[in-house]
Amino acid sequence: MLCLERRLRGWTPIAFHGGDKAVIEWADLRDHPFDRPFFSHTLKAWSAGSNDAIVQSGLSTLSSLDSEPSLDPDVIIAHPSRSGSTWLSLLTAALHEQSVFVGEPEIVFQLLQANLQRPLEAPDKTLRQLIRALGRRRFGNEQRFVVKLSSRASHFLALFRRAFPKTPIVWVQREPAEIIESNLRRPRRALAGLDPETVTRQALRDVSWAFLAANGFDDANFHVVDYRDLPAAAWTRVAPLMQVQIDEDCLSRMRNVSGSHSHSGKPYLRRTPNPLPKDVQDIVRKTLNPLYEALARRARL
């Protein structure tokens, strides 16, 4: 076991399998800085250019390696999907030149799901150790750590709070009709190819669950940002939460990010959403808008 732990120093956990004996898969990603919009993009780049094997370990390895130099998140960003969370995350990571940014790591959701199916002995501790493992100081000069959750992982904000009691959690949201329109125009991968009615029903359900989870999260260090306030909210709202001093180099990096589409890197142009079908508009107005407005009121307090 000691030989395995020595080998895994500096390695990154990439997959979690629950069950009677939980298993973690590790990969050596030390040639890959964590600065891509999604952690899956980093894994894809690694798998395309590496012959290195994946190494498996038990859950105890997380605890054994937790003393390795690591960063706690400076901020955790949550969202209901299609709300500018990737844009905000990249802007936030640009606050410091030596930032680690991990966007929607699937392994985190795998752990959360496994804990629902077969509760872990100390899920908050395990989650903390897992995220700190993603925030290893692999190059020695990392200074800031930004974590963006998937919209599905946003259902577990209370567990993230127990794992990181002092970390600001930022909820970035958008007018619900615009979120639904984006999900219908470009469905997430799991829904691609399904009929429009199924896609609509699933999108409404997923977004509703996320908004309900955020509304039920009562926390003094929970901060609401609206899509329409981007990109400026990154330096006016989020930077102070991270206690970052803004200088010209920082502003220059953030301006570079703010002018590009967060997914494609192409010049960013705001588009006008298409109108939703009347029956979908009615559902959004009656169910999602009140949840969105309740959270917006928190931002004004």
Side-chain angles (χ1 to χ4, degrees), residues 15-78:
F16 182 93
H17 305 283
D20 293 337
K21 292 186 178 180
V23 172
I24 298 173
E25 294 182 355
W26 301 77
D28 186 356
L29 304 181
R30 283 174 288 189
D31 290 336
H32 298 271
F34 291 174
D35 56 6
R36 297 173 185 264
F38 296 93
F39 188 59
S40 60
H41 294 178
T42 301
L43 294 182
K44 185 176 181 179
W46 167 78
S47 63
S50 174
N51 294 319
D52 293 340
I54 290 173
V55 173
Q56 293 187 339
S57 80
L59 197 59
S60 62
T61 307
L62 281 177
S63 180
S64 300
L65 293 175
D66 194 50
S67 60
E68 293 293 304
S70 307
L71 298 170
D72 284 4
D74 289 277
V75 65
I76 295 172
I77 295 176

Side-chain angles (χ1 to χ4, degrees), residues 151-169:
S151 58
R152 296 173 298 164
S154 297
H155 304 175
F156 302 90
L157 294 177
L159 184 58
F160 283 96
R161 171 55 71 228
R162 294 202 299 274
F164 296 100
K166 297 181 180 179
T167 298
I169 296 177

Side-chain angles (χ1 to χ4, degrees), residues 7 19 24 63 70 88 108 133 159 184 208 223 225 246 251 292:
R7 180 183 178 185
I24 298 173
S63 180
S70 307
L88 177 60
V108 170
L159 184 58
L184 300 187
S208 296
H223 309 270
V225 169
I246 305 291
L251 282 175
Y292 165 81

Side-chain angles (χ1 to χ4, degrees), residues 3 18 42 44 75 106 121 141 149 153 155 170 178 203 212 242:
C3 290
T42 301
K44 185 176 181 179
V75 65
E106 185 63 21
E121 183 176 340
N141 61 351
L149 307 180
H155 304 175
V170 173
E178 296 180 6
L212 284 166
M242 299 171 61

Side-chain angles (χ1 to χ4, degrees), residues 73-114:
D74 289 277
V75 65
I76 295 172
I77 295 176
H79 59 99
S81 83
R82 311 299 172 90
S83 300
S85 60
T86 304
W87 193 20
L88 177 60
S89 299
L90 292 171
L91 285 164
T92 303
L95 286 166
H96 199 286
E97 197 169 11
Q98 279 79 41
S99 288
V100 177
F101 168 50
V102 177
E104 303 193 13
E106 185 63 21
I107 184 173
V108 170
F109 188 68
Q110 290 168 351
L111 183 148
L112 296 170
Q113 284 290 93

